[in-house]
Amino acid sequence: MPTVESSPSVIPSLGVGTFRLKDDEAYNSVTMALDIGYRHIDTAQIYKNEAAVGRAIKDSPVPREDIFVTTKVWNDKLNRTHFVESVEESLRKLQLSYVDLLLIHWPSPEHGESMQEYLGELLRVKEMGLAKNIGISNFTAAQTEEAVRILGEGVIATNQIEVHPYLINEKVRETCAKYGIVVTGYMPFAVGKVLKDDTILSIAKKYNVTAAEVVVAWELAHGLVTIPSSTKRENLATNFKALSLKLDAEDVAKIDALDCGDRQATPDFAPDWD
Ligand SMILES: NC(=O)c1ccc[n+]([C@@H]2O[C@H](COP(=O)([O-])OP(=O)(O)OC[C@H]3O[C@@H](n4cnc5c(N)ncnc54)[C@H](OP(=O)(O)O)[C@@H]3O)[C@@H](O)[C@H]2O)c1
């Protein structure tokens, strides 16, 4: 499995997402993904599926140490009182003694706590050995700069942000590149929307592959980690096949040009986007 290296960590470049998947759906998706060959699983406290993900990992013949597991701390836990205990609860649900990557899900603490406070807790969790790597998610360019000022360079493994052909998020990606922070592109298909795009379909035709493979290969061509999700074995397998698809620079550029700022994930507590 190819990986993307950042200074503090090595992250498998293709993972499987679990947003919206509950109970058996999450269990089955992770079970199928591990069977197909995925070794990177993305969950979060707010997805309410850590227990199902944990059961799938436990029941899989794949050794735990071969699997890269990410979870994310939710907005109401971004304080000195609740942060560590929330991670301990995640680990209990996941039936793990550590996660490979722990992220601040949104830079939006429910009670306005400072970034200094919650990043301090994030670092503490790493020092306790509960997370091998730490990172951020949905941080703007300015917030990423601030996080680097607080934690220092070489500490933040990734910024997980929305990246797909309709939202290429260039400014944040450039800021991350400046500090050697790997970008994890979430919602690579814009939840299915970009798979119907004529340009992407014509590129897919040229390589005799599916639109989904083209999109995953485009993310990988940019050096991103990406985490598409699916409830279906066939789609999980198709997405995995993209690891062996190399797009010409010209096709990568054609897909870049589809950017239209069409953001999918923008809850009312989102930051002022770049
Ligand atoms: N950090 C954050 O704030 C944040 C926010 C959003 C998402 N995420 C992470 O990113 C992951 C991915 O995002 P997402 O799940 O929202 O959206 P996505 O991966 O862009 O799209 C998922 C949708 O695409 C369909 N699909 C998957 N593979 C397909 C294929 N080969 N052909 C056709 N359709 C396909 C799935 O349907 P089927 O089930 O029918 O295959 C599903 O409806 C999430 O699961 C989560 O882990 C993180």
Side-chain angles (χ1 to χ4, degrees):
M1 157 79 69
T3 54
V4 175
E5 289 191 32
S6 69
S7 39
S9 69
V10 176
I11 308 175
S13 52
L14 181 60
V16 70
T18 63
F19 180 37
R20 284 183 238 92
L21 309 186
K22 294 276 154 22
D23 306 321
D24 284 354
E25 218 169 30
Y27 178 89
N28 291 335
S29 175
V30 173
T31 301
M32 291 185 288
L34 289 171
D35 188 46
I36 288 165
Y38 288 84
R39 294 293 178 264
H40 171 180
I41 299 158
D42 184 85
T43 180
Q45 293 174 348
I46 198 70
Y47 299 171
K48 309 249 180 275
N49 61 17
E50 288 173 311
V53 168
R55 272 191 293 115
I57 292 171
K58 187 103 184 165
D59 291 350
S60 159
V62 179
R64 188 279 171 255
E65 57 276 15
D66 291 354
I67 308 172
F68 190 97
V69 182
T70 303
T71 197
K72 317 183 192 82
V73 179
W74 191 244
N75 304 351
D76 60 344
K77 309 295 182 198
L78 299 183
N79 54 64
R80 237 168 246 130
T81 315
H82 299 299
F83 197 102
V84 174
E85 68 182 26
S86 85
V87 177
E88 287 168 341
E89 190 184 337
S90 288
L91 291 173
R92 262 194 309 279
K93 289 179 177 161
L94 286 163
Q95 301 185 58
L96 300 175
S97 56
Y98 66 90
V99 284
D100 297 274
L101 180 62
L102 184 72
L103 305 179
I104 302 294
H105 203 148
W106 287 87
S108 315
E110 204 162 278
H111 304 293
E113 292 87 348
S114 69
M115 195 184 286
Q116 183 89 38
E117 175 172 344
Y118 63 77
L119 291 185
E121 291 303 292
L122 184 66
L123 191 59
R124 190 148 80 91
V125 162
K126 185 181 181 199
E127 285 164 357
M128 290 168 73
L130 305 183
K132 296 256 189 240
N133 301 283
I134 53 177
I136 55 184
S137 176
N138 295 300
F139 277 45
T140 63
Q143 288 169 328
T144 303
E145 298 263 5
E146 195 184 342
V148 171
R149 262 197 310 278
I150 293 169
L151 290 175
E153 287 191 37
V155 179
I156 299 168
T158 195
N159 186 6
Q160 184 180 123
I161 55 171
E162 184 174 336
V163 182
H164 47 70
Y166 292 167
L167 183 76
I168 68 173
N169 233 327
E170 215 159 13
K171 184 169 175 200
V172 184
R173 281 168 47 201
E174 278 168 8
T175 303
C176 289
K178 197 163 93 185
Y179 297 109
I181 298 172
V182 166
V183 172
T184 303
Y186 74 64
M187 286 184 168
F189 305 142
V191 202
K193 221 175 188 180
V194 301
L195 301 178
K196 298 184 201 104
D197 184 274
D198 287 342
T199 303
I200 292 171
L201 286 167
S202 77
I203 294 171
K205 199 166 171 198
K206 169 177 159 188
Y207 292 87
N208 198 21
V209 296
T210 61
E213 283 163 87
V214 169
V215 173
V216 173
W218 171 79
E219 301 253 347
L220 301 177
H222 277 300
L224 305 176
V225 170
T226 192
I227 48 172
S229 79
S230 176
T231 53
K232 302 189 177 73
R233 187 179 184 99
E234 190 190 341
N235 287 348
L236 287 166
T238 300
N239 301 343
F240 195 73
K241 260 174 46 198
L243 284 169
S244 54
L245 174 63
K246 299 277 170 285
L247 301 176
D248 297 343
E250 170 194 314
D251 294 319
V252 171
K254 269 193 208 157
I255 300 172
D256 290 348
L258 298 175
D259 182 30
C260 55
D262 185 2
R263 192 181 292 277
Q264 310 302 305
T266 187
D268 54 9
F269 51 77
D272 289 334
W273 298 113
D274 293 292

